[in-house]
Amino acid sequence: MEATYFNPLMTYTIEDVASLMHCGRESVTTWMEAGLLRGIKTGKATVIPSGELARFQEEYLGQNVCNLKRALDALKAVKGAKA
């Protein structure tokens, strides 16, 4: 994938995020359902702003988010560290 500059208006589909994060579409939807990653529903599609993806990567760096239980555990750990 070609390196590009950060564009705050850039959005990604769930499939784009899955490709960028080297995981499946199901993992991305799990993160969204657990509240780790937020998207915007735009008709038939859901898009994730580039800033939201960057926040997710920064906040959950070093966390195991491979399934729903671990994603929820990571959410507790991150939110607990902020309190």
Side-chain angles (χ1 to χ4, degrees), residues 4 9 21 25 31 36 52-53 59 72 79:
T4 59
L9 299 178
M21 299 295 288
R25 185 184 201 295
W31 301 335
L36 278 65
E52 176 62 12
L53 184 56
E59 283 188 8
L72 292 171
K79 298 301 178 190

Side-chain angles (χ1 to χ4, degrees), residues 7 10 12-13 25-27 42-43 50 53-54 60 65 71 78:
N7 178 352
M10 179 79 172
Y12 299 100
T13 64
R25 185 184 201 295
E26 299 79 19
S27 293
T42 59
S50 58
L53 184 56
Y60 294 94
V65 295
V78 167

Side-chain angles (χ1 to χ4, degrees), residues 34-67:
L36 278 65
L37 182 65
R38 298 174 301 166
I40 301 166
K41 183 76 172 162
T42 59
K44 292 182 181 181
T46 298
V47 294
I48 295 94
S50 58
E52 176 62 12
L53 184 56
R55 181 204 58 81
F56 170 79
Q57 290 177 309
E58 185 176 319
E59 283 188 8
Y60 294 94
L61 184 64
Q63 298 289 330
N64 185 345
V65 295
C66 68
N67 60 39

